[in-house]
Amino acid sequence: MSEEIVEFAVDQRVVYPSQGVGQIKDIFEKKVGDKTIKYYKIYLEVSDMVVMIPVANAAMIGIRPIVCAADAEKALEILGEAIEPVTSDWKLRYQMNLDLLKKGSIFDIVSIVRCLYHRSKVKELPILERKLYDNAKKLLEDEIAFALGKPSKEIEAMLHAKLEPLGALVAKKSPIIDDEEDDDDEFGDEINDSEDSDNEDSDDDDDSDESDSGDDMEDDGDDDE
């Protein structure tokens, strides 16, 4: 029998870093070679995906429970706090925020949203950063909505109410000297290549997770359940 410690329960909401809020749909065992491996079956509503994660790998991947209501409220308060100026080098800024996204705590996500929202008030974000911002904001909305038991639309309005006053202050300040070059296209492939490399490294890990829209996929690459 499999001896992995099961941290989550069926129907529990969890956060999958970079992917969003999911729900444990099943916990099952499967024979792989001479081993019996226990899996979580997680449904990610935001992307309509089902992923199979070995129980033993969940902590390494960063899967965690939804935060409590108190931490959700704290995240909202932090979102409205003043922020120090960030680097004008978008490539460095993008990588820093991408690393935070992979770490996946709610406060990491708050940092990304604050940083990129305020930066957008200084200068329009490059395409890659805009996508990163939209992703982080959606992750934050969904987790706070589940933690507080409120509709996502209501949480979206709350986030906007926290961000907009400080954003307006940034916009009213004197123009900032910005040496950043509009090199989104030039370096987009470079960063995408880096992300692809990260994904390949993840695929090389034992029983790392795989997913496909609308399908049940397993980490060991075996399509059979």
Side-chain angles (χ1 to χ4, degrees):
M1 292 292 292
S2 178
E3 297 181 356
E4 294 92 345
I5 297 176
V6 178
E7 182 179 357
F8 308 114
V10 173
D11 293 331
Q12 183 176 353
R13 299 279 181 179
V14 296
V15 176
Y16 189 141
S18 301
Q19 302 297 324
V21 175
Q23 185 176 27
I24 306 290
K25 290 296 187 180
D26 192 16
I27 302 172
F28 65 95
E29 292 183 342
K30 179 178 177 177
K31 191 79 172 179
V32 181
D34 59 350
K35 295 182 180 180
T36 299
I37 298 177
K38 189 171 290 184
Y39 287 87
Y40 292 120
K41 180 179 181 180
I42 306 175
Y43 175 64
L44 301 168
E45 183 176 356
V46 67
S47 54
D48 191 27
M49 294 192 304
V50 173
V51 294
M52 309 298 188
I53 307 297
V55 169
N57 288 6
M60 178 184 67
I61 293 170
I63 294 174
R64 60 174 176 81
I66 295 288
V67 295
C68 64
D71 280 347
E73 294 283 4
K74 182 178 179 181
L76 283 171
E77 290 305 313
I78 294 174
L79 193 65
E81 294 178 356
I83 187 171
E84 295 296 323
V86 296
T87 177
S88 62
D89 183 339
W90 82 267
K91 299 180 295 298
L92 177 59
R93 194 170 61 232
Y94 178 86
Q95 189 59 56
M96 291 169 58
N97 284 319
L98 188 62
D99 290 342
L100 287 175
L101 188 68
K102 291 176 180 178
K103 288 174 62 180
S105 82
I106 192 170
F107 302 111
D108 291 327
I109 305 304
V110 165
S111 294
I112 297 169
V113 173
R114 289 170 66 220
C115 169
L116 296 184
Y117 180 84
H118 292 166
R119 179 62 190 177
S120 72
K121 294 300 180 180
V122 176
K123 184 175 182 180
E124 184 177 357
L125 297 175
I127 294 173
L128 286 175
E129 275 199 307
R130 183 68 199 186
K131 289 180 179 178
L132 181 61
Y133 169 77
D134 290 341
N135 186 20
K137 184 168 175 286
K138 177 61 176 172
L139 294 177
L140 188 61
E141 287 172 7
D142 286 349
E143 181 164 11
I144 293 178
F146 282 115
L148 299 183
K150 296 183 178 181
S152 293
K153 286 294 183 183
E154 182 177 341
I155 301 301
E156 182 180 7
M158 293 171 69
L159 264 59
H160 182 75
K162 291 290 185 181
L163 291 167
E164 187 61 23
L166 289 176
L169 288 176
V170 172
K172 288 180 180 179
K173 289 183 179 179
S174 301
I176 296 176
I177 298 175
D178 193 346
D179 295 328
E180 176 183 355
E181 297 180 359
D182 291 326
D183 48 8
D184 188 16
D185 292 337
E186 178 182 351
F187 289 93
D189 291 339
E190 175 185 329
I191 291 178
N192 284 331
D193 289 343
S194 174
E195 290 180 353
D196 289 342
S197 176
D198 289 342
N199 290 334
E200 289 173 3
D201 291 342
S202 176
D203 290 341
D204 289 340
D205 291 339
D206 290 339
D207 294 319
S208 61
D209 63 289
E210 298 179 13
S211 61
D212 191 16
S213 178
D215 294 326
D216 293 356
M217 299 294 292
E218 298 178 11
D219 297 6
D220 57 9
D222 190 339
D223 291 332
D224 297 328
E225 290 194 25

Coordinates of all heavy atoms in Angstrom, one line a residue, residues 131-181:
K131 N 0.2 40.2 -19.4 CA -0.4 38.9 -19.2 C -0.1 38.4 -17.8 O -1.0 37.7 -17.2 CB 0.2 37.9 -20.3 CG -0.3 38.1 -21.7 CD 0.4 37.1 -22.7 CE -0.1 37.3 -24.1 NZ 0.5 36.4 -25.0
L132 N 1.1 38.6 -17.3 CA 1.5 38.2 -16.0 C 0.6 38.9 -15.0 O 0.1 38.3 -14.0 CB 2.9 38.6 -15.7 CG 3.5 38.2 -14.3 CD1 3.4 36.7 -14.1 CD2 5.0 38.6 -14.2
Y133 N 0.3 40.2 -15.2 CA -0.5 41.0 -14.3 C -1.9 40.4 -14.3 O -2.5 40.2 -13.2 CB -0.5 42.5 -14.7 CG -1.6 43.3 -14.0 CD1 -1.4 43.7 -12.7 CD2 -2.8 43.6 -14.6 CE1 -2.4 44.4 -12.0 CE2 -3.8 44.3 -14.0 CZ -3.6 44.7 -12.7 OH -4.6 45.4 -12.0
D134 N -2.5 40.2 -15.4 CA -3.9 39.7 -15.5 C -4.0 38.3 -14.8 O -5.0 38.0 -14.1 CB -4.3 39.5 -17.0 CG -4.5 40.9 -17.7 OD1 -4.7 41.9 -17.0 OD2 -4.5 40.9 -18.9
N135 N -3.0 37.5 -15.0 CA -3.0 36.1 -14.4 C -2.9 36.3 -12.9 O -3.7 35.6 -12.1 CB -1.8 35.3 -14.9 CG -1.8 33.9 -14.4 OD1 -2.8 33.4 -14.0 ND2 -0.6 33.2 -14.4
A136 N -2.0 37.1 -12.4 CA -1.8 37.3 -10.9 C -3.1 37.9 -10.3 O -3.5 37.4 -9.2 CB -0.6 38.1 -10.6
K137 N -3.7 38.8 -11.0 CA -4.9 39.5 -10.5 C -6.0 38.5 -10.4 O -6.8 38.5 -9.4 CB -5.3 40.7 -11.4 CG -6.5 41.5 -10.9 CD -6.6 42.8 -11.7 CE -7.8 43.6 -11.3 NZ -9.0 43.0 -11.9
K138 N -6.2 37.6 -11.4 CA -7.2 36.6 -11.4 C -7.0 35.6 -10.2 O -8.0 35.2 -9.5 CB -7.3 35.9 -12.7 CG -8.3 34.8 -12.8 CD -9.7 35.3 -12.6 CE -10.7 34.1 -12.8 NZ -12.1 34.5 -12.4
L139 N -5.8 35.2 -10.0 CA -5.4 34.3 -8.9 C -5.8 34.9 -7.6 O -6.4 34.2 -6.7 CB -4.0 33.9 -9.0 CG -3.4 33.1 -10.1 CD1 -1.9 33.0 -10.0 CD2 -4.1 31.8 -10.2
L140 N -5.5 36.2 -7.4 CA -5.8 36.9 -6.2 C -7.3 37.0 -6.0 O -7.8 36.7 -4.9 CB -5.1 38.2 -6.2 CG -5.2 39.0 -4.9 CD1 -4.4 38.3 -3.8 CD2 -4.5 40.4 -5.1
E141 N -8.0 37.4 -7.0 CA -9.4 37.5 -6.9 C -10.1 36.2 -6.5 O -10.9 36.2 -5.6 CB -10.0 38.0 -8.2 CG -9.8 39.4 -8.6 CD -10.2 39.7 -10.0 OE1 -10.8 38.8 -10.6 OE2 -9.9 40.8 -10.5
D142 N -9.7 35.1 -7.1 CA -10.3 33.8 -6.9 C -10.1 33.3 -5.4 O -11.0 32.9 -4.8 CB -9.8 32.8 -7.9 CG -10.4 33.0 -9.3 OD1 -11.4 33.8 -9.4 OD2 -9.9 32.3 -10.2
E143 N -8.8 33.5 -5.0 CA -8.5 33.0 -3.7 C -9.2 33.8 -2.6 O -9.8 33.2 -1.6 CB -7.0 33.0 -3.4 CG -6.7 32.4 -2.0 CD -5.2 32.0 -1.8 OE1 -4.4 32.4 -2.7 OE2 -4.9 31.4 -0.8
I144 N -9.2 35.1 -2.7 CA -9.9 35.9 -1.7 C -11.4 35.7 -1.7 O -12.0 35.7 -0.7 CB -9.6 37.4 -2.0 CG1 -8.1 37.7 -1.7 CG2 -10.4 38.3 -1.1 CD1 -7.6 39.1 -1.9
A145 N -11.9 35.5 -2.9 CA -13.4 35.2 -3.0 C -13.7 33.9 -2.3 O -14.7 33.9 -1.5 CB -13.8 35.1 -4.5
F146 N -13.0 32.9 -2.4 CA -13.2 31.6 -1.7 C -13.0 31.8 -0.2 O -13.8 31.2 0.6 CB -12.4 30.5 -2.3 CG -12.9 29.9 -3.6 CD1 -12.2 30.0 -4.8 CD2 -14.1 29.3 -3.6 CE1 -12.6 29.5 -6.0 CE2 -14.6 28.7 -4.8 CZ -13.9 28.9 -6.0
A147 N -11.9 32.5 0.1 CA -11.6 32.7 1.5 C -12.7 33.5 2.3 O -13.0 33.2 3.5 CB -10.2 33.4 1.7
L148 N -13.2 34.5 1.6 CA -14.2 35.3 2.3 C -15.7 34.9 2.0 O -16.6 35.5 2.5 CB -14.0 36.8 1.8 CG -12.7 37.4 2.2 CD1 -12.6 38.9 1.8 CD2 -12.4 37.3 3.7
G149 N -15.8 33.9 1.0 CA -17.2 33.5 0.7 C -18.0 34.6 0.0 O -19.2 34.7 0.2
K150 N -17.3 35.3 -0.9 CA -18.0 36.4 -1.6 C -17.8 36.2 -3.1 O -16.9 35.5 -3.6 CB -17.4 37.8 -1.2 CG -17.6 38.1 0.2 CD -17.1 39.5 0.5 CE -17.4 39.9 2.0 NZ -16.9 41.3 2.3
P151 N -18.7 36.7 -4.0 CA -18.6 36.6 -5.4 C -17.3 37.2 -6.0 O -16.8 38.2 -5.4 CB -19.8 37.3 -5.9 CG -20.8 37.4 -4.8 CD -19.9 37.5 -3.6
S152 N -16.8 36.6 -7.0 CA -15.5 37.2 -7.6 C -15.7 38.6 -8.1 O -14.8 39.4 -8.0 CB -15.1 36.3 -8.8 OG -14.7 35.0 -8.4
K153 N -16.9 39.0 -8.6 CA -17.1 40.3 -9.1 C -17.0 41.3 -7.9 O -16.5 42.5 -8.1 CB -18.5 40.5 -9.7 CG -18.5 39.8 -11.1 CD -17.7 40.5 -12.1 CE -17.8 40.0 -13.5 NZ -16.9 40.7 -14.4
E154 N -17.5 40.9 -6.7 CA -17.4 41.8 -5.6 C -15.9 42.0 -5.2 O -15.5 43.1 -4.8 CB -18.2 41.2 -4.4 CG -18.2 42.1 -3.2 CD -19.1 41.6 -2.1 OE1 -19.9 40.7 -2.4 OE2 -18.9 42.0 -0.9
I155 N -15.2 40.9 -5.2 CA -13.7 41.0 -4.8 C -13.0 41.8 -5.9 O -12.1 42.6 -5.5 CB -13.1 39.6 -4.7 CG1 -13.9 38.8 -3.7 CG2 -11.6 39.7 -4.4 CD1 -13.8 39.4 -2.3
E156 N -13.3 41.7 -7.1 CA -12.7 42.5 -8.2 C -12.9 44.0 -7.9 O -11.9 44.8 -8.0 CB -13.3 42.1 -9.5 CG -12.6 42.9 -10.7 CD -13.2 42.5 -12.0 OE1 -14.3 41.7 -12.1 OE2 -12.7 42.9 -13.1
A157 N -14.1 44.4 -7.5 CA -14.3 45.8 -7.1 C -13.5 46.2 -5.9 O -13.0 47.3 -5.9 CB -15.8 46.0 -6.9
M158 N -13.4 45.3 -5.0 CA -12.6 45.6 -3.8 C -11.1 45.8 -4.1 O -10.5 46.7 -3.6 CB -12.8 44.5 -2.7 CG -14.2 44.4 -2.2 SD -14.4 42.9 -1.1 CE -13.4 43.3 0.3
L159 N -10.6 45.0 -5.0 CA -9.2 45.1 -5.4 C -9.0 46.5 -6.1 O -8.0 47.2 -5.9 CB -8.8 44.0 -6.3 CG -8.1 42.8 -5.7 CD1 -9.0 42.1 -4.6 CD2 -7.7 41.7 -6.8
H160 N -9.9 46.8 -7.0 CA -9.8 48.1 -7.7 C -9.9 49.3 -6.7 O -9.1 50.2 -6.9 CB -11.0 48.2 -8.7 CG -10.9 49.4 -9.5 ND1 -10.0 49.6 -10.6 CD2 -11.7 50.6 -9.5 CE1 -10.2 50.8 -11.1 NE2 -11.2 51.4 -10.5
A161 N -10.8 49.2 -5.7 CA -10.9 50.2 -4.7 C -9.6 50.4 -3.9 O -9.2 51.5 -3.5 CB -12.0 49.9 -3.8
K162 N -8.9 49.3 -3.7 CA -7.6 49.4 -3.0 C -6.5 50.0 -3.9 O -5.6 50.7 -3.5 CB -7.2 48.0 -2.5 CG -8.0 47.5 -1.4 CD -7.8 48.3 -0.1 CE -8.6 47.6 1.0 NZ -8.5 48.4 2.3
L163 N -6.5 49.6 -5.2 CA -5.4 50.0 -6.1 C -5.5 51.4 -6.6 O -4.5 52.1 -6.8 CB -5.3 49.0 -7.2 CG -4.8 47.6 -6.9 CD1 -5.1 46.6 -8.1 CD2 -3.4 47.5 -6.6
E164 N -6.7 51.8 -7.0 CA -7.0 53.0 -7.7 C -6.5 54.3 -7.1 O -5.8 55.1 -7.7 CB -8.4 53.1 -8.1 CG -8.7 54.3 -9.1 CD -8.0 54.2 -10.4 OE1 -7.6 53.0 -10.8 OE2 -7.8 55.2 -11.1
P165 N -6.7 54.5 -5.7 CA -6.2 55.7 -5.1 C -4.7 55.9 -5.2 O -4.3 57.0 -5.6 CB -6.7 55.5 -3.7 CG -7.8 54.6 -3.7 CD -7.5 53.7 -4.8
L166 N -4.0 54.8 -5.0 CA -2.5 55.0 -5.1 C -2.1 55.1 -6.5 O -1.1 55.8 -6.8 CB -1.9 53.7 -4.4 CG -1.9 53.7 -2.9 CD1 -1.3 52.4 -2.4 CD2 -1.3 54.9 -2.3
G167 N -2.8 54.4 -7.4 CA -2.5 54.6 -8.8 C -2.7 56.0 -9.3 O -1.9 56.5 -10.1
A168 N -3.7 56.6 -8.8 CA -4.0 58.0 -9.2 C -2.9 58.9 -8.7 O -2.4 59.9 -9.4 CB -5.3 58.5 -8.6
L169 N -2.3 58.6 -7.5 CA -1.2 59.4 -7.0 C 0.0 59.3 -7.8 O 0.7 60.3 -8.1 CB -0.9 59.0 -5.5 CG -1.9 59.4 -4.5 CD1 -1.5 58.8 -3.1 CD2 -2.0 60.9 -4.4
V170 N 0.3 58.1 -8.3 CA 1.4 57.9 -9.1 C 1.3 58.6 -10.4 O 2.2 59.2 -10.9 CB 1.6 56.3 -9.4 CG1 2.7 56.1 -10.5 CG2 2.0 55.6 -8.1
A171 N 0.1 58.6 -11.0 CA -0.1 59.2 -12.3 C 0.0 60.8 -12.2 O 0.4 61.4 -13.2 CB -1.5 58.9 -12.8
K172 N -0.2 61.3 -11.0 CA -0.2 62.8 -10.8 C 1.2 63.3 -10.6 O 1.5 64.5 -10.7 CB -1.1 63.2 -9.7 CG -2.6 63.1 -10.0 CD -3.4 63.5 -8.8 CE -4.9 63.4 -9.1 NZ -5.7 63.8 -7.9
K173 N 2.1 62.4 -10.3 CA 3.5 62.8 -10.0 C 4.2 63.3 -11.2 O 3.8 63.1 -12.4 CB 4.3 61.6 -9.4 CG 3.9 61.3 -8.0 CD 4.8 60.2 -7.5 CE 4.4 59.8 -6.0 NZ 5.2 58.7 -5.5
S174 N 5.3 64.0 -11.1 CA 6.1 64.5 -12.2 C 6.5 63.4 -13.1 O 6.8 62.3 -12.6 CB 7.3 65.3 -11.7 OG 6.9 66.4 -10.9
P175 N 6.6 63.6 -14.4 CA 7.1 62.5 -15.3 C 8.4 61.9 -14.8 O 9.3 62.6 -14.4 CB 7.3 63.3 -16.6 CG 6.4 64.5 -16.5 CD 6.4 64.9 -15.1
I176 N 8.4 60.6 -14.9 CA 9.6 59.9 -14.4 C 10.5 59.6 -15.6 O 10.1 59.2 -16.7 CB 9.2 58.5 -13.8 CG1 8.4 58.8 -12.5 CG2 10.4 57.7 -13.5 CD1 7.8 57.5 -11.9
I177 N 11.8 59.9 -15.4 CA 12.8 59.6 -16.5 C 12.9 58.1 -16.6 O 13.3 57.4 -15.6 CB 14.1 60.2 -16.1 CG1 14.0 61.8 -16.0 CG2 15.2 59.8 -17.2 CD1 15.3 62.5 -15.6
D178 N 12.6 57.6 -17.7 CA 12.6 56.2 -17.9 C 13.4 55.8 -19.1 O 13.1 56.1 -20.3 CB 11.1 55.8 -18.2 CG 10.9 54.3 -18.1 OD1 11.9 53.6 -18.1 OD2 9.7 53.8 -18.0
D179 N 14.5 55.1 -18.9 CA 15.4 54.7 -19.9 C 15.0 53.3 -20.5 O 15.7 52.8 -21.3 CB 16.8 54.6 -19.4 CG 17.4 55.9 -19.0 OD1 16.9 56.9 -19.6 OD2 18.2 56.0 -18.0
E180 N 13.9 52.8 -20.1 CA 13.4 51.5 -20.5 C 13.2 51.5 -22.0 O 12.5 52.4 -22.5 CB 12.2 51.0 -19.8 CG 11.6 49.7 -20.3 CD 10.3 49.4 -19.6 OE1 9.9 50.2 -18.7 OE2 9.7 48.4 -20.0
E181 N 13.7 50.5 -22.7 CA 13.5 50.5 -24.2 C 12.3 49.6 -24.5 O 11.9 48.7 -23.7 CB 14.7 49.9 -24.9 CG 15.9 50.7 -24.7 CD 17.1 50.1 -25.4 OE1 17.0 49.0 -26.0 OE2 18.2 50.7 -25.4

